[in-house]
Amino acid sequence: MKKFWILAAICTLLVGCRESLEDRCAREAKEYTEKNCPMKMDKNVILDSMTFERDTHTLHYYYTLTGFADQDGVMEKVDARGALKEDLKNSTSLRVYKENKYRFAYTYHSEKDPKVVRMEVVFTDKDY
């Protein structure tokens, strides 16, 4: 009988320790930002942070554009939206979030004037 209670207590602890997908996403976004950001993605793009917006189930990436990319029309000219959409479709690391129909947002700010948003796009499950 004593073994039963010990086993029941252990099972209760294990079940109680499971985190929800929302909690996992928020934790992973925070940890990624703390460990890796800011991160230079290429010559003209810096990843500043990643956040999770619980109310809309949105994983939001914030970038800064520098140099040549920090001009009006450049992101449209290089079809950045299309490239982001393809990367999202092909991403296996985001599979669990895509299966749960999370949204993915990308915001690109100007380095010269951080108040200026050069591009902002949100993808829903219909896009990927």
Side-chain angles (χ1 to χ4, degrees):
M1 187 69 162
K2 192 176 193 179
K3 288 181 183 178
F4 171 76
W5 288 110
I6 292 172
L7 182 60
I10 291 172
C11 288
T12 302
L13 286 174
L14 291 176
V15 171
C17 292
R18 292 183 56 195
E19 67 182 336
S20 70
L21 184 58
E22 288 179 331
D23 291 341
R24 174 184 161 191
C25 189
R27 178 182 52 77
E28 288 178 351
K30 183 179 183 221
E31 288 174 358
Y32 187 87
T33 297
E34 289 172 353
K35 290 179 185 175
N36 300 296
C37 294
M39 179 193 317
K40 195 163 184 91
M41 303 301 290
D42 66 27
K43 185 177 177 183
N44 298 303
V45 180
I46 298 167
L47 175 62
D48 296 315
S49 66
M50 182 179 7
T51 63
F52 177 63
E53 299 161 6
R54 282 181 190 272
D55 55 334
T56 60
H57 287 126
T58 302
L59 191 57
H60 201 141
Y61 299 86
Y62 293 91
Y63 295 91
T64 296
L65 296 173
T66 65
F68 174 77
D70 190 7
Q71 300 177 52
D72 286 335
V74 170
M75 297 300 278
E76 292 80 12
K77 196 178 288 186
V78 298
D79 190 24
R81 186 185 197 293
L84 286 170
K85 187 174 180 178
E86 279 305 305
D87 285 348
L88 182 58
K89 283 182 180 181
N90 296 323
S91 175
T92 57
S93 64
L94 299 173
R95 182 179 52 87
V96 70
Y97 301 121
K98 293 190 295 186
E99 288 172 351
N100 286 278
K101 300 182 179 186
Y102 277 36
R103 297 163 31 119
F104 299 88
Y106 303 86
T107 302
Y108 291 82
H109 289 273
S110 166
E111 179 184 47
K112 292 178 230 168
D113 185 358
K115 295 177 188 172
V116 173
V117 175
R118 294 282 183 207
M119 184 177 93
E120 189 160 38
V121 63
V122 178
F123 296 113
T124 66
D125 60 308
K126 292 171 183 65
D127 296 308
Y128 55 80

